[in-house]
Amino acid sequence: MSSFVLKLIAAVTMFIDHAGLLLFPDLEFMRILGRLAFPIYAFCIAEGFRYTKNRKLYFLRVFILGLICQIVYTVVDRQLYLGILIVFSISILLMACLDSFKKAMRGQPSPVGRKFAEWFRLETLSNTGDRVITGALLAASVLASLLLCMTVDVDYGFFGILLPVFTSFFEDRPRRLVMFTATLLALSIDLTAGGFIYQFWCLLAVPLLAVYNGKPGKYRMKYFFYIFYPAHLVFLYALDMIF
């Protein structure tokens, strides 16, 4: 199964989930089907970070689109709530910190270490210094994410932020899937304890990801999926206000 098919499944189930939330709250099966969307998107975010040629541009696309969606959330709900694309933006930043730390641990100069040496006008930065700096930045970033989730209402919470990050921890696909499943289980336990009774259904996404072939597929249409997210929200919110 290609990443295009995975994204298509995620888009369809997300639409069903949000339609159930806004228009058909009594149809529980719509919310259950919708549990597939987030884990698939989270996995695709980790894969996108892994294979993109320009990580800065990748982050900016997700973050700017997230800001646009935040306007919709704020206008309609009139409360501070960080939506899923802002969550994934934070995940991308954490994955960048993790990637720098992994490079430093392998004895390679990290992007963070090079930038640190440039800022402080150092000729070289030792590998030990690189490890300390990247490790401290990673720890501080994780702690800041946790504090954010304790302060503001964040979609899928702290484990939602960590899901793509932990998925990107290993290089080989089997161990990435194991880490993904473990984090998704922790997420399900956390949200179920918070009263969201449907969340364990998200584990049904794991068999779909297990047959992922690591290829983008014949059709990519990446900008369609970027546009679809805010477009479907505006459409459903408009229907909700009309009817």
Side-chain angles (χ1 to χ4, degrees):
M1 184 180 295
S2 67
S3 63
F4 172 78
V5 175
L6 286 176
K7 291 176 184 178
L8 192 60
I9 293 172
V12 171
T13 54
M14 177 180 65
F15 184 88
I16 292 172
D17 181 42
H18 290 163
L21 176 65
L22 295 173
L23 305 176
F24 307 102
D26 295 330
L27 299 181
E28 294 185 358
F29 79 92
M30 297 183 74
R31 304 306 314 281
I32 291 173
L33 284 175
R35 295 311 94 217
L36 295 176
F38 172 74
I40 294 176
Y41 273 131
F43 188 88
C44 289
I45 284 290
E47 287 291 286
F49 179 84
R50 180 182 177 86
Y51 291 112
T52 184
K53 296 179 180 178
N54 191 330
R55 290 178 174 177
K56 290 182 181 179
L57 183 59
Y58 184 63
F59 166 77
L60 286 174
R61 281 200 300 260
V62 177
F63 180 69
I64 292 172
L65 190 57
L67 287 180
I68 295 172
C69 293
Q70 284 302 133
I71 296 174
V72 177
Y73 295 144
T74 304
V75 169
V76 175
D77 296 332
R78 297 182 181 180
Q79 62 179 346
L80 182 58
Y81 167 79
L82 299 185
I84 196 59
L85 291 178
I86 297 297
V87 169
F88 286 153
S89 299
I90 299 172
S91 300
I92 292 171
L93 291 176
L94 288 179
M95 283 189 287
C97 293
L98 176 61
D99 186 63
S100 287
F101 179 66
K102 287 162 64 177
K103 286 182 177 178
M105 293 302 294
R106 290 195 296 262
Q108 303 171 356
S110 73
V112 170
R114 286 195 296 266
K115 185 63 67 174
F116 182 87
E118 178 183 326
W119 284 345
F120 290 91
R121 298 181 179 179
L122 302 174
E123 291 186 6
T124 59
L125 181 66
S126 68
N127 181 247
T128 300
D130 202 351
R131 291 180 180 183
V132 170
I133 290 169
T134 54
L137 179 61
L138 178 60
S141 300
V142 172
L143 179 59
S145 300
L146 177 59
L147 293 176
L148 177 67
C149 293
M150 295 172 63
T151 307
V152 182
D153 189 9
V154 177
D155 203 5
Y156 287 95
F158 184 55
F159 286 109
I161 293 175
L162 292 183
L163 185 57
V165 182
F166 283 173
T167 304
S168 68
F169 194 86
F170 294 110
E171 299 298 324
D172 60 289
R173 194 173 303 137
R175 286 196 293 176
R176 290 207 307 274
L177 186 60
V178 169
M179 185 66 81
F180 172 88
T181 305
T183 311
L184 188 60
L185 180 59
L187 168 69
S188 302
I189 294 172
D190 181 54
L191 293 185
T192 302
F196 193 65
I197 60 175
Y198 305 113
Q199 192 54 45
F200 274 104
W201 290 99
C202 72
L203 294 171
L204 291 178
V206 175
L208 294 176
L209 297 173
V211 296
Y212 166 59
N213 59 17
K215 298 180 180 180
K218 183 178 180 180
Y219 306 102
R220 299 193 181 186
M221 298 173 58
K222 66 176 181 179
Y223 291 108
F224 166 78
F225 293 109
Y226 281 117
I227 296 171
F228 179 79
Y229 188 83
H232 96 282
L233 286 177
V234 171
F235 175 72
L236 289 175
Y237 276 129
L239 286 181
D240 186 41
M241 288 187 286
I242 292 171
F243 298 105

